[in-house]
Amino acid sequence: MLPLLDTSEIMAYTGARKSTIERVARCYKLTGKPCKESQSGNSGRTQMMDLEDIEYMHGHSSRSCDMYIDELRDEISQARRKHLSLSTIWQTLHRMGYLRKKVSVLTLQLL
């Protein structure tokens, strides 16, 4: 379908449904644009993370899965030169299927 990634990989990175990805790809083949522009010319908020940022986050999270979100934010900030909020990172991790781990009171006392 798309030259770089197959539909399942795009679904994993973006959290979009298969039908949405196929619709966007079909529209791109016809018009050269990923989707039709809305009537107002603005179809929502600009995305803070692009596919390369998401791939970086996925790779980094896979290598060091015991990292706190603020530590991951600092790593992304240094490597990708983007300043992202904790909620943006959390929502992206959640869409990628990562779960949060809770720190126990005992662990906090030991620190």
Side-chain angles (χ1 to χ4, degrees), residues 81-97:
R81 307 229 190 285
K82 286 199 175 180
H83 302 287
L84 304 170
S85 69
L86 293 176
S87 64
T88 299
I89 293 172
W90 165 244
Q91 289 170 358
T92 305
L93 289 170
H94 186 70
R95 279 195 306 266
M96 290 171 23

Side-chain angles (χ1 to χ4, degrees), residues 15 37 43 52 74 103:
E37 293 189 24
S43 61
E52 289 178 8
D74 294 342
V103 179

